[in-house]
Short mmCIF file of all heavy atoms in Angstrom, two decimals:
data_model
loop_
_atom_site.label_atom_id
_atom_site.label_comp_id
_atom_site.label_asym_id
_atom_site.label_seq_id
_atom_site.Cartn_x
_atom_site.Cartn_y
_atom_site.Cartn_z
N ALA Y 1303 -12.34 -5.48 26.27
CA ALA Y 1303 -13.66 -6.04 25.94
C ALA Y 1303 -14.25 -6.84 27.13
O ALA Y 1303 -15.43 -6.78 27.43
CB ALA Y 1303 -13.56 -6.91 24.72
N GLN Y 1304 -13.31 -7.57 27.82
CA GLN Y 1304 -13.80 -8.30 29.01
C GLN Y 1304 -14.29 -7.37 30.07
O GLN Y 1304 -15.35 -7.60 30.82
CB GLN Y 1304 -12.70 -9.18 29.57
CG GLN Y 1304 -12.42 -10.39 28.67
CD GLN Y 1304 -11.21 -11.17 29.13
OE1 GLN Y 1304 -10.41 -10.75 29.94
NE2 GLN Y 1304 -11.06 -12.46 28.52
N LYS Y 1305 -13.52 -6.25 30.31
CA LYS Y 1305 -13.95 -5.26 31.28
C LYS Y 1305 -15.35 -4.64 30.89
O LYS Y 1305 -16.22 -4.52 31.78
CB LYS Y 1305 -12.92 -4.14 31.35
CG LYS Y 1305 -11.73 -4.48 32.12
CD LYS Y 1305 -10.74 -3.35 32.14
CE LYS Y 1305 -9.37 -3.71 32.77
NZ LYS Y 1305 -8.43 -2.63 32.74
N LEU Y 1306 -15.48 -4.32 29.61
CA LEU Y 1306 -16.75 -3.78 29.17
C LEU Y 1306 -17.91 -4.83 29.38
O LEU Y 1306 -18.97 -4.50 29.82
CB LEU Y 1306 -16.75 -3.36 27.74
CG LEU Y 1306 -15.97 -2.08 27.45
CD1 LEU Y 1306 -15.90 -1.79 25.95
CD2 LEU Y 1306 -16.59 -0.92 28.11
N ASP Y 1307 -17.60 -6.09 28.96
CA ASP Y 1307 -18.61 -7.15 29.14
C ASP Y 1307 -18.99 -7.30 30.63
O ASP Y 1307 -20.14 -7.43 30.93
CB ASP Y 1307 -18.03 -8.49 28.63
CG ASP Y 1307 -18.05 -8.48 27.10
OD1 ASP Y 1307 -18.71 -7.68 26.45
OD2 ASP Y 1307 -17.39 -9.46 26.56
N SER Y 1308 -17.98 -7.18 31.45
CA SER Y 1308 -18.22 -7.36 32.87
C SER Y 1308 -19.13 -6.19 33.41
O SER Y 1308 -20.07 -6.42 34.07
CB SER Y 1308 -16.89 -7.34 33.59
OG SER Y 1308 -17.14 -7.41 35.01
N LYS Y 1309 -18.68 -4.95 32.97
CA LYS Y 1309 -19.50 -3.81 33.45
C LYS Y 1309 -20.92 -3.88 32.85
O LYS Y 1309 -21.91 -3.75 33.61
CB LYS Y 1309 -18.91 -2.55 32.92
CG LYS Y 1309 -17.76 -2.04 33.82
CD LYS Y 1309 -17.27 -0.70 33.26
CE LYS Y 1309 -16.14 -0.16 34.10
NZ LYS Y 1309 -15.63 1.13 33.67
N PHE Y 1310 -21.01 -4.12 31.61
CA PHE Y 1310 -22.37 -4.12 30.97
C PHE Y 1310 -23.12 -5.39 31.41
O PHE Y 1310 -24.36 -5.37 31.49
CB PHE Y 1310 -22.28 -4.06 29.44
CG PHE Y 1310 -22.00 -2.66 28.93
CD1 PHE Y 1310 -20.80 -2.37 28.31
CD2 PHE Y 1310 -22.89 -1.63 29.20
CE1 PHE Y 1310 -20.53 -1.10 27.86
CE2 PHE Y 1310 -22.64 -0.31 28.78
CZ PHE Y 1310 -21.46 -0.06 28.08
N GLY Y 1311 -22.40 -6.46 31.62
CA GLY Y 1311 -23.09 -7.69 32.10
C GLY Y 1311 -23.74 -7.44 33.43
O GLY Y 1311 -24.91 -7.79 33.65
N LYS Y 1312 -23.05 -6.78 34.36
CA LYS Y 1312 -23.58 -6.40 35.69
C LYS Y 1312 -24.74 -5.51 35.48
O LYS Y 1312 -25.81 -5.60 36.17
CB LYS Y 1312 -22.52 -5.82 36.55
CG LYS Y 1312 -21.54 -6.79 37.04
CD LYS Y 1312 -20.38 -6.11 37.84
CE LYS Y 1312 -19.31 -7.09 38.20
NZ LYS Y 1312 -18.16 -6.48 38.79
N HIS Y 1313 -24.61 -4.51 34.59
CA HIS Y 1313 -25.70 -3.54 34.37
C HIS Y 1313 -26.91 -4.24 33.83
O HIS Y 1313 -28.01 -4.00 34.20
CB HIS Y 1313 -25.16 -2.48 33.39
CG HIS Y 1313 -26.16 -1.45 32.93
ND1 HIS Y 1313 -26.69 -0.51 33.76
CD2 HIS Y 1313 -26.81 -1.35 31.75
CE1 HIS Y 1313 -27.58 0.18 33.16
NE2 HIS Y 1313 -27.69 -0.27 31.92
N ASN Y 1314 -26.59 -5.11 32.82
CA ASN Y 1314 -27.65 -5.89 32.20
C ASN Y 1314 -28.42 -6.82 33.20
O ASN Y 1314 -29.63 -6.93 33.17
CB ASN Y 1314 -27.25 -6.67 30.95
CG ASN Y 1314 -26.98 -5.78 29.82
OD1 ASN Y 1314 -27.45 -4.68 29.75
ND2 ASN Y 1314 -26.18 -6.27 28.90
N GLN Y 1315 -27.65 -7.42 34.09
CA GLN Y 1315 -28.26 -8.29 35.08
C GLN Y 1315 -29.12 -7.44 36.03
O GLN Y 1315 -30.28 -7.86 36.42
CB GLN Y 1315 -27.16 -8.94 35.91
CG GLN Y 1315 -26.42 -10.11 35.21
CD GLN Y 1315 -25.26 -10.61 35.99
OE1 GLN Y 1315 -24.87 -10.07 36.98
NE2 GLN Y 1315 -24.68 -11.73 35.45
N ALA Y 1316 -28.64 -6.27 36.46
CA ALA Y 1316 -29.39 -5.39 37.31
C ALA Y 1316 -30.69 -4.93 36.60
O ALA Y 1316 -31.78 -4.94 37.16
CB ALA Y 1316 -28.56 -4.16 37.71
N LYS Y 1317 -30.51 -4.54 35.33
CA LYS Y 1317 -31.68 -4.15 34.51
C LYS Y 1317 -32.69 -5.27 34.40
O LYS Y 1317 -33.91 -5.08 34.61
CB LYS Y 1317 -31.15 -3.70 33.13
CG LYS Y 1317 -32.11 -2.84 32.35
CD LYS Y 1317 -31.32 -2.22 31.23
CE LYS Y 1317 -32.03 -2.61 29.93
NZ LYS Y 1317 -31.37 -2.05 28.74
N GLU Y 1318 -32.21 -6.47 34.17
CA GLU Y 1318 -33.11 -7.62 34.04
C GLU Y 1318 -33.78 -7.92 35.40
O GLU Y 1318 -35.01 -8.22 35.45
CB GLU Y 1318 -32.33 -8.89 33.58
CG GLU Y 1318 -33.09 -10.13 33.40
CD GLU Y 1318 -34.07 -10.04 32.26
OE1 GLU Y 1318 -33.92 -9.13 31.33
OE2 GLU Y 1318 -35.04 -10.84 32.15
N ALA Y 1319 -33.12 -7.74 36.54
CA ALA Y 1319 -33.67 -8.00 37.79
C ALA Y 1319 -34.80 -6.90 38.09
O ALA Y 1319 -35.88 -7.33 38.64
CB ALA Y 1319 -32.62 -7.91 38.95
N VAL Y 1320 -34.56 -5.71 37.72
CA VAL Y 1320 -35.61 -4.68 37.88
C VAL Y 1320 -36.79 -4.98 37.06
O VAL Y 1320 -37.94 -4.87 37.48
CB VAL Y 1320 -34.99 -3.22 37.59
CG1 VAL Y 1320 -36.13 -2.25 37.47
CG2 VAL Y 1320 -33.96 -2.87 38.63
N ARG Y 1321 -36.56 -5.45 35.78
CA ARG Y 1321 -37.71 -5.77 34.92
C ARG Y 1321 -38.52 -6.89 35.51
O ARG Y 1321 -39.70 -6.86 35.49
CB ARG Y 1321 -37.16 -6.12 33.53
CG ARG Y 1321 -38.24 -6.30 32.49
CD ARG Y 1321 -37.68 -6.75 31.15
NE ARG Y 1321 -37.10 -8.07 31.20
CZ ARG Y 1321 -37.75 -9.22 31.27
NH1 ARG Y 1321 -39.07 -9.21 31.22
NH2 ARG Y 1321 -37.24 -10.36 31.22
N LEU Y 1322 -37.79 -7.91 35.98
CA LEU Y 1322 -38.46 -9.06 36.54
C LEU Y 1322 -39.25 -8.67 37.74
O LEU Y 1322 -40.41 -9.14 38.00
CB LEU Y 1322 -37.50 -10.17 36.90
CG LEU Y 1322 -36.92 -10.93 35.71
CD1 LEU Y 1322 -35.85 -11.87 36.14
CD2 LEU Y 1322 -38.00 -11.66 34.88
N GLU Y 1323 -38.68 -7.76 38.58
CA GLU Y 1323 -39.34 -7.25 39.77
C GLU Y 1323 -40.63 -6.51 39.48
O GLU Y 1323 -41.68 -6.71 40.07
CB GLU Y 1323 -38.34 -6.40 40.61
CG GLU Y 1323 -38.79 -6.14 42.00
CD GLU Y 1323 -37.76 -5.32 42.78
OE1 GLU Y 1323 -36.58 -5.73 42.71
OE2 GLU Y 1323 -38.11 -4.30 43.32
N LEU Y 1324 -40.53 -5.64 38.44
CA LEU Y 1324 -41.65 -4.88 37.96
C LEU Y 1324 -42.73 -5.82 37.42
O LEU Y 1324 -43.88 -5.63 37.70
CB LEU Y 1324 -41.28 -3.83 36.93
CG LEU Y 1324 -40.47 -2.69 37.45
CD1 LEU Y 1324 -40.05 -1.77 36.24
CD2 LEU Y 1324 -41.33 -1.81 38.36
#
Side-chain angles (χ1 to χ4, degrees):
Q1304 287 173 350
K1305 285 179 186 176
L1306 286 177
D1307 285 346
S1308 175
K1309 279 184 180 180
F1310 284 114
K1312 289 176 186 174
H1313 175 72
N1314 287 340
Q1315 287 174 354
K1317 200 166 122 180
E1318 183 66 18
V1320 169
R1321 187 184 66 76
L1322 289 173
E1323 194 177 310
L1324 287 175

